[in-house]
Amino acid sequence: MSIERLDKLISTSGYGSRKDAKKLIHSGVVTVDDAVVINADFHVDTEKSSVAVDGKQLSFCTHVYLMMNKPAGVVSSTKDNIHQTVIDLLDKEFKRRFLGGKLHLIGRLDIDTEGLLLLTTDGKLTHKLTSPKQNVPKTYFVRLRDSVSDSEKIEYIQRFKNNLEIPREHNEEAFTAKSAELTWENSPNECKLTIYEGKYHQVKRMFAVLGNEVIYLKRIGEGAIFLDPALPPGKARELTQTEKSALEI
Ligand code: URA
């Protein structure tokens, strides 16, 4: 059950600010279950009631699903005293749709990592994509400091496939990485890596074990979602119906 204030529902359905929504409600054009309601703090059960503005039925998606192309230099958190956060980058319209401030990040990317970051108000989806038991694939484009010869390329592929031992880093425990898939680009120092977990600095630590260093990292896929190449860095957009279906939302 999802109970929301009427003015909030009107505003988050694209009718402007909360103040604009209140004006609309007071003007008598808003109905709940076919009866005019002029009280802005009227509470609506979005799963049972229908709301219309000027006779036009609203369809509520009580959850928001966004993909962002995270730029480098921005932190994956909702608040930070020093750096700009991914939330700071969101348009006003998305911020208005937080529906009670429940918008959160599905996982994190390091400050210098770019690319696909999913944000949602839907805790169930977050659990589904971040639970270690689900083995959700995450694919990264990686650029390395050192060029790798053809025979070393094969060694990297094998080592990543065979559960690499990752040593402790700072306060983060050592761990055995799940089998990961590496494919080389047509370049001696660029590749794509798919991992099935999301430990602290995981990709950087995996390449460090092989004596190399990641100098550029971009996430391009997570679960069934791939970064939209048309989405500029720093921008976010709602997931399309096809993308939501692929996530079984
Ligand atoms: N692995 C890393 O090392 N950093 C990230 O941001 C994501 C995966």
Side-chain angles (χ1 to χ4, degrees):
M1 190 166 67
S2 179
I3 308 285
E4 298 288 354
R5 277 177 61 111
L6 185 57
D7 54 353
K8 189 171 181 178
L9 285 171
I10 302 285
S11 161
T12 55
S13 300
Y15 286 88
S17 65
R18 198 72 88 79
K19 206 168 153 194
D20 296 330
K22 280 194 174 106
K23 272 194 207 155
L24 264 181
I25 296 165
H26 292 149
S27 74
V29 295
V30 175
T31 55
V32 178
D33 297 329
D34 297 326
V36 172
V37 174
I38 52 165
N39 178 5
D41 72 5
F42 187 88
H43 282 66
V44 179
D45 180 342
T46 56
E47 281 163 25
K48 290 190 183 142
S49 292
S50 65
V51 177
V53 178
D54 264 332
K56 188 170 169 265
Q57 196 89 15
L58 305 187
S59 78
F60 305 123
C61 168
T62 51
H63 285 302
V64 177
Y65 302 92
L66 304 178
M67 92 157 54
M68 174 178 277
N69 184 358
K70 177 193 170 298
V74 173
V75 288
S76 294
S77 87
T78 43
K79 276 192 195 129
D80 191 273
N81 291 334
I82 302 166
H83 297 102
Q84 202 178 27
T85 73
V86 291
I87 299 291
D88 296 330
L89 297 179
L90 290 177
D91 291 347
K92 256 198 197 154
E93 168 62 16
F94 289 141
K95 289 192 183 167
R96 208 185 284 138
R97 298 189 62 186
F98 279 9
L99 294 177
K102 289 174 282 191
L103 190 80
H104 58 269
L105 286 58
I106 304 184
R108 285 163 191 272
L109 293 173
D110 298 337
I111 188 164
D112 55 349
T113 302
E114 299 180 7
L116 179 63
L117 187 66
L118 297 173
L119 298 104
T120 187
T121 51
D122 182 354
K124 269 195 203 153
L125 177 68
T126 306
H127 179 73
K128 201 162 94 179
L129 290 179
T130 56
S131 161
K133 284 189 202 137
Q134 301 285 340
N135 293 322
V136 173
K138 294 169 196 81
T139 301
Y140 294 85
F141 171 82
V142 183
R143 188 170 298 128
L144 297 167
R145 179 195 59 204
D146 300 332
S147 291
V148 174
S149 70
D150 285 349
S151 61
E152 285 171 328
K153 282 183 177 180
I154 295 168
E155 189 195 332
Y156 273 61
I157 292 171
Q158 291 302 334
R159 298 279 304 272
F160 284 161
K161 197 172 164 193
N162 293 328
N163 308 101
L164 206 58
E165 296 297 332
I166 312 291
R168 188 188 176 91
E169 183 179 303
H170 310 303
N171 289 331
E172 300 294 323
E173 290 298 314
F175 68 101
T176 305
K178 287 180 184 166
S179 181
E181 289 141 26
L182 181 68
T183 53
W184 288 95
E185 299 286 281
N186 204 4
S187 150
N189 70 334
E190 289 178 349
C191 53
K192 284 187 187 134
L193 179 67
T194 300
I195 56 175
Y196 294 86
E197 57 208 327
K199 297 266 169 48
Y200 176 75
H201 285 178
Q202 175 150 352
V203 175
K204 292 171 185 162
R205 286 162 81 189
M206 287 175 77
F207 283 97
V209 171
L210 299 189
N212 213 327
E213 189 188 332
V214 173
I215 56 166
Y216 176 79
L217 188 59
K218 180 175 187 175
R219 182 153 67 197
I220 52 176
E222 178 166 13
I225 303 298
F226 296 92
L227 180 65
D228 179 348
L231 191 63
K235 290 287 175 202
R237 69 152 169 81
E238 287 194 69
L239 294 189
T240 61
Q241 196 47 56
T242 312
E243 288 164 339
K244 286 197 260 186
S245 303
L247 289 173
E248 292 169 12
I249 299 167

